[in-house]
Amino acid sequence: MNRDALFPGSFDPFTMGHKAIVDQGLRLFDRVIVGVGANTDKRGLLTVENRVRLINDIYAGEQRVMAMPYHGLTGDFCRSLGLSFLLRGMRNTVDYEYERGIMLVNQRLFPEITTVLLFTPPEYVAVSSSTIRELLDFGHDPTELMPKNIDLKNYM
Ligand code: ADP
C-alpha cells in the first residue's frame, strides 16, 4: 500500500492555513497530492487552472507535493489515483461536524479510504479563503494571509 494522501478542497485561494495542513501531512505521508475540485456551487476568485498553478509554485522546491485539478466526487478521484488516505484540516467544531458528515458518506461509499483530520495551528484558525476573497472585494491587501512570496495578482 502506498503512503500518499489526497488533500482535496476548493483552495480559492490556497492560504497559510492550507499550507500548515500540507506541511504537517508531509510528516505522515510520503507525498501529498493537493486535489483542486472544480466545484460549481462555490463562487470563484481564481480559475481552477490558476489555483493549481499557485499551489505548484509554492511547492516548486518540494517534490513530495503536487497539485492537480479534478471533477466529480472526491472519493472517486482518490480511488482513481489508487490512494488510501484523504487528508483534511479542522479549525473548529464547525469544521469538525462538516468533516464528520463527509467522512461518514465516504466511509460507506469508499471503505478502502481512510480520512485523516489534522488540527490547524492556532495562528491560522481564523484564516479562510473566503476572508481573503472578502478583503480583496473591499480593496484590502490579503498578502499576509497568503503563503510567502505569493502575489495573488499573478494568478487573477
Ligand atoms: P472545501 O470547499 O472542500 O471546504 P477549502 O479549500 O475551503 O475546501 O478547504 C480545504 C480543506 O482545508 C478543508 O479540510 C478545510 O477544513 C481545510 N482548511 C481551510 N482553511 C483552513 C485553515 N485555516 N487551517 C486548516 N485547515 C483549513
Side-chain angles (χ1 to χ4, degrees), residues 16-126:
M16 284 302 281
H18 294 134
K19 184 167 185 297
I21 299 302
V22 171
D23 292 348
Q24 285 186 70
L26 286 175
R27 299 196 198 129
L28 294 172
F29 301 107
D30 292 335
R31 293 196 308 158
V32 174
I33 313 298
V34 183
V36 180
N39 179 348
T40 43
D41 55 56
K42 280 216 174 181
R43 193 186 62 144
L45 170 70
L46 307 183
T47 63
V48 170
E49 292 69 29
N50 281 336
R51 293 178 216 174
V52 168
R53 185 162 64 87
L54 185 153
I55 299 162
N56 282 330
D57 286 348
I58 292 169
Y59 288 102
E62 175 52 270
Q63 295 194 340
R64 296 196 295 142
V65 179
M66 185 181 66
M68 294 171 73
Y70 73 95
H71 290 272
L73 221 50
T74 300
D76 283 324
F77 180 57
C78 193
R79 187 178 265 177
S80 76
L81 295 176
L83 303 183
S84 307
F85 301 100
L86 267 182
L87 176 63
R88 295 282 285 178
M90 176 175 47
R91 285 162 289 189
N92 47 41
T93 54
V94 177
D95 277 355
Y96 168 80
E97 292 295 344
Y98 177 69
E99 296 299 337
R100 202 167 85 97
I102 299 174
M103 180 276 290
L104 289 172
V105 175
N106 281 334
Q107 212 166 49
R108 189 170 283 258
L109 292 177
F110 309 98
E112 80 277 20
I113 297 174
T114 299
T115 298
V116 177
L117 258 192
L118 295 179
F119 286 98
T120 193
E123 60 270 35
Y124 303 129
V125 161

